[in-house]
Amino acid sequence: MASEHSFDISCAVDMMEVKNALETSKKELAARYDFKGVTAQIELNEKEKFISLLSSSDNKIDALKDIVISKLIKRNIPPVALSESKRESAGGGNIKAILKLNDTLDSENSKKITKAIKDAKLKVTASIRGEEVRVVSKSIDDLQECIRLVKGLNLELPLSFKNLK
């Protein structure tokens, strides 16, 4: 039996599931009556990790965003994985919105997580390792309590807990 147990906290978005959700979003967009004859596009920039929405009005952009989020939820991707970074005029009376995929655990959120774990006085040690936080303890029960604590922080990130050993 191992003397120490550990797990990693990271942010992860399954890009294949995002692609599948966007394809079903496009199919729904083609079938919806309120988008007939209206400019409406959903595009994924996989390299830069953002989704661009293009339509003729703010209301249509909001409807596109709702379609995309609902399809992501059906694919088990939490809505906090997306954040709207900007909305701008795209010319020709169209509006473009950029939805950024949040799939990295930045240093600020890593520090929040480690501080919350240390403040909880659990018998665990948390350390930041690049884009993830490693939590180590002698007791699996303490690690599970730590997972509940981190989930309760309600960070605007799609957290994943992996490599529980």
Side-chain angles (χ1 to χ4, degrees):
M1 190 166 141
S3 61
E4 284 196 336
H5 306 284
S6 67
F7 71 90
D8 298 323
I9 304 169
S10 65
C11 287
V13 175
D14 187 356
M15 287 306 287
M16 198 64 216
E17 291 295 333
V18 170
K19 287 180 189 176
N20 292 337
L22 292 181
E23 287 304 314
T24 55
S25 297
K26 289 176 186 177
K27 287 179 184 175
E28 181 176 327
L29 179 64
R32 288 210 12 192
Y33 183 75
D34 56 337
F35 283 101
K36 294 287 185 209
V38 176
T39 303
Q41 290 179 333
I42 301 171
E43 293 178 6
L44 172 67
N45 185 331
E46 198 172 346
K47 186 177 178 187
E48 300 291 324
K49 296 194 178 180
F50 69 82
I51 300 167
S52 65
L53 307 175
L54 180 73
S55 192
S56 58
S57 69
D58 279 330
N59 292 338
K60 297 290 183 193
I61 291 287
D62 291 338
L64 284 175
K65 188 175 173 182
D66 288 343
I67 292 170
V68 169
I69 289 174
S70 70
K71 299 305 176 195
L72 287 173
I73 290 171
K74 286 183 181 177
R75 295 276 179 178
N76 294 323
I77 298 173
V80 295
L82 288 180
S83 63
E84 187 171 332
S85 61
K86 63 181 174 180
R87 196 177 279 212
E88 62 192 12
S89 175
N94 292 327
I95 297 172
K96 183 176 186 178
I98 304 294
L99 304 177
K100 178 131 176 56
L101 287 167
N102 302 323
D103 70 337
T104 55
L105 189 61
D106 60 347
S107 62
E108 180 183 321
N109 285 314
S110 297
K111 288 176 185 176
K112 282 183 189 176
I113 291 170
T114 54
K115 183 178 182 331
I117 291 170
K118 288 177 183 173
D119 291 345
K121 305 265 192 264
L122 295 172
K123 294 180 182 176
V124 299
T125 55
S127 60
I128 299 172
R129 295 181 149 196
E131 292 184 353
E132 61 185 23
V133 176
R134 167 73 52 96
V135 181
V136 180
S137 176
K138 291 187 179 187
S139 167
I140 289 183
D141 293 337
D142 289 337
L143 292 178
Q144 290 172 338
E145 183 63 34
C146 183
I147 289 173
R148 281 191 289 279
L149 171 78
V150 173
K151 284 182 179 178
L153 292 176
N154 292 327
L155 296 173
E156 295 294 315
L157 296 169
L159 294 176
S160 65
F161 304 92
K162 56 186 180 182
N163 299 333
L164 180 59
K165 298 176 192 172

